[in-house]
Amino acid sequence: MIQDQQDGRHVLIEKVPRGLFIAGQWCPAREGATFEVADPADGVVLTRVPDASPEDGIAGLDAAYEAFPGWSQTSARLRADLIRRAFGLVTERSEEFAVLMSLEMGKPLAEARGEVAYGAEYLRWFSEEAVRVQGRYGANPEATGRMIVSQHPLGPCFLITPWNFPLAMATRKIAPALAAGCTVVIKPSELTPLTTLLLVSVLEEAGLPQGVVNVITTTRAGEVSEPIIRDPRLRKMSFTGSTPVGRALLEQAAGSVLRTSMELGGNAPFIVFEDADLDRAVEGAMTAKFRNIGQACTAANRFIVHASVAEEFARRIAERVRRLVVGRGTEDGVTIGPLIDERAVTKVGLLVRDAVERGATVWAGGHPIEGEGTFFEPTVLSDVPATARILSEEIFGPVLAIRTFADEDEAVRVANSTEFGLVAYAFTESLSRGQRMIERLESGMLGLNVGVVSNAAAPFGGVKHSGLGHEGGPEGISEYLTTKYTLTADPFPADSI
Ligand code: NAD
């Protein structure tokens, strides 16, 4: 069912271009196929977008390949100005982006507004970085020649984004790629393609030349992506999504020794030491766990709390969690929206049931919410045994699971006992313990007495199975550049002096 034309949602959806964007043209999929985009709060179909075929995907790469020589030769200032204009336009239209994200993936409107500010910041940051790409010149140690080290854009890039942060995941890749002088084909998640389409229309308005950004929306992710990844004209893939899909894509990339950036899954530990400021830890926990309905790669997954404060922590958290307001993200006062789909509700339910059957105590919630939409009660579990699946799998839902520890060594051992290593959180009032956590916790990022770390100026990335490379910060643009070393002959050969 296409939603009622009178429905307020319709007005906004009408502003979103519904086409593939290839070589500067909005066009249908070659086979004319389309797919539905639905609102997870009630299942209503918002609109339909083109369902690209593998040929459409290659047409996107053709366009990016043709546009690369011209775009890579533009001045950094021209690229910086274009990206900065896009920042201004996204900021001006922030309410449209916020409502659109809330509609297509369910996040509460206040959080969606936060994502617009955060996502736009990548445009501003990389507009500033575009003009700061530097090289070096100097004598080699033997003074027999001069070494020049220069940075060059890699070439056409393939960007694949997930559904959980539809705007920020796109700007975090597009902005540094464009700033570096690369051209791109972007494939958003089939669950949330509309935000990327609106973003690209804004880039078009900012003056984007033809073929520099191409967008492919499709339900045939694997079939469409593989020929692009295996094409020798492609020079870079940047993927954000789950670890199993990331692994499969790395195998495909190995064939052409493709440069890759991989932002994959997490299983973040959140350690509360006995010397923590509990008010701060509770505040941090609420953000680290319940932001984005628990559907963040940086979501705290395992609460590892000192036995002496575990009960007090659980009591205070449960009090706060009972006050969360579940509902449609666009409604006033709602703090917890729906999960992305039925599959997610089933998975979260199974993880909770497994923990409870193994002896966990339920302080709040614990069940899916019956009726329209894909809602799950915000849940707090304590005394979760080490064997429970919820402590080893990414929950991706509003469930806070607590286990205890006795001393610092045990906390660190438990925190590191996972193949993931994206982010960790530690709460302690001891400076030296905090410093030890920086060195001992195996993660690409650490929140010390804070529950959210993301920032456009910081290098976001994981270790172990959580990924390769960084997005954001000065590191973010280098993912789209290659370093070239040139040796020039000694300009002062002995007989010339
Ligand atoms: P997903 O891996 O299912 O999908 C991610 C993207 O990959 C989507 O665009 C999807 O269409 C595409 N895809 C799926 N199968 C593919 C295939 N065979 N070939 C090519 N593309 C394919 O992940 P998701 O469910 O969209 O997102 C949730 C996951 O993303 C979680 O594991 C989360 O931790 C992770 N994530 C990581 C970060 C990070 O920065 N590390 C950020 C956000 C989300």
Side-chain angles (χ1 to χ4, degrees), residues 108-190:
L109 203 46
E111 288 189 16
R113 291 182 181 124
E115 182 178 343
V116 180
Y118 168 58
E121 209 49 59
Y122 283 101
L123 294 164
R124 178 154 64 176
W125 173 263
F126 285 111
S127 74
E128 292 158 349
E129 287 299 284
V131 293
R132 316 234 181 282
V133 174
Q134 307 275 331
R136 326 200 273 275
Y137 175 85
N140 64 4
E142 301 74 20
T144 55
R146 297 293 180 270
M147 304 192 299
I148 300 170
V149 180
S150 50
Q151 303 285 330
H152 305 268
L154 276 169
C157 306
F158 185 35
L159 316 176
I160 304 179
T161 53
W163 51 265
N164 58 348
F165 292 96
L167 180 68
M169 297 302 98
T171 54
R172 201 158 90 172
K173 295 185 192 304
I174 292 175
L178 264 47
C182 293
T183 55
V184 309
V185 178
I186 180 165
K187 193 208 79 59
S189 166
E190 57 277 31

Side-chain angles (χ1 to χ4, degrees), residues 158 160-165 169 172 187-191 218 221-223 225-226 229 239-243 245-246 248-249 252 262-266 296-298 394 396 422 460 466 471:
F158 185 35
I160 304 179
T161 53
W163 51 265
N164 58 348
F165 292 96
M169 297 302 98
R172 201 158 90 172
K187 193 208 79 59
S189 166
E190 57 277 31
L191 298 170
T218 185
E223 249 182 283
S225 300
E226 189 164 353
I229 296 167
F239 170 79
T240 298
S242 61
T243 297
V245 173
L249 297 183
Q252 294 171 17
M262 293 288 179
E263 300 286 352
L264 308 177
C297 53
T298 50
E394 201 178 17
F396 246 56
L422 188 60
F460 189 106
S466 287
E471 292 190 313

Side-chain angles (χ1 to χ4, degrees), residues 79-114:
R79 299 195 297 273
D81 287 349
L82 187 152
I83 300 167
R84 186 65 172 72
R85 278 197 297 281
F87 164 77
L89 290 168
V90 170
T91 306
E92 255 170 47
R93 294 172 66 176
S94 66
E95 199 59 15
E96 265 171 57
F97 276 100
V99 175
L100 186 62
M101 280 196 282
S102 188
L103 288 178
E104 69 173 342
M105 69 71 64
K107 68 179 70 194
L109 203 46
E111 288 189 16
R113 291 182 181 124

Side-chain angles (χ1 to χ4, degrees), residues 254-420:
S256 47
V257 195
L258 192 62
R259 273 272 296 268
T260 57
S261 300
M262 293 288 179
E263 300 286 352
L264 308 177
N267 181 5
F270 186 109
I271 308 174
V272 182
F273 286 101
E274 65 275 26
D275 60 7
D277 173 337
L278 268 199
D279 288 335
R280 227 186 205 186
V282 167
E283 211 49 56
M286 292 303 292
T287 317
K289 179 73 253 182
F290 295 101
R291 189 171 67 103
N292 218 36
I293 320 145
Q295 304 170 119
C297 53
T298 50
N301 212 58
R302 298 169 292 151
F303 285 77
I304 303 166
V305 183
H306 192 269
S308 66
V309 293
E311 182 155 349
E312 177 62 7
F313 179 75
R315 190 185 60 72
R316 290 203 210 174
I317 279 281
E319 229 167 65
R320 289 284 297 271
V321 165
R322 286 190 211 102
R323 297 207 301 265
L324 291 172
V325 181
V326 180
R328 157 185 290 288
T330 46
E331 273 167 23
D332 277 349
V334 165
T335 48
I336 294 284
L339 291 181
I340 189 69
D341 56 19
E342 281 296 343
R343 220 160 37 125
V345 177
T346 306
K347 182 189 160 197
V348 174
L350 284 174
L351 290 178
V352 170
R353 191 148 11 107
D354 171 76
V356 173
E357 280 168 11
R358 291 174 198 262
T361 308
V362 182
W363 286 75
H367 304 98
I369 299 175
E370 299 294 325
E372 203 174 60
T374 45
F375 295 91
F376 200 95
E377 292 172 346
T379 299
V380 178
L381 305 175
S382 72
D383 309 310
V384 178
T387 51
R389 282 175 54 195
I390 203 161
L391 296 181
S392 57
E393 294 179 31
E394 201 178 17
I395 305 169
F396 246 56
V399 181
L400 190 154
I402 303 170
R403 63 159 289 173
T404 57
F405 70 90
D407 60 31
E408 186 179 308
D409 282 346
E410 186 189 359
V412 169
R413 184 177 49 74
V414 170
N416 289 342
S417 64
T418 164
E419 75 263 30
F420 296 104

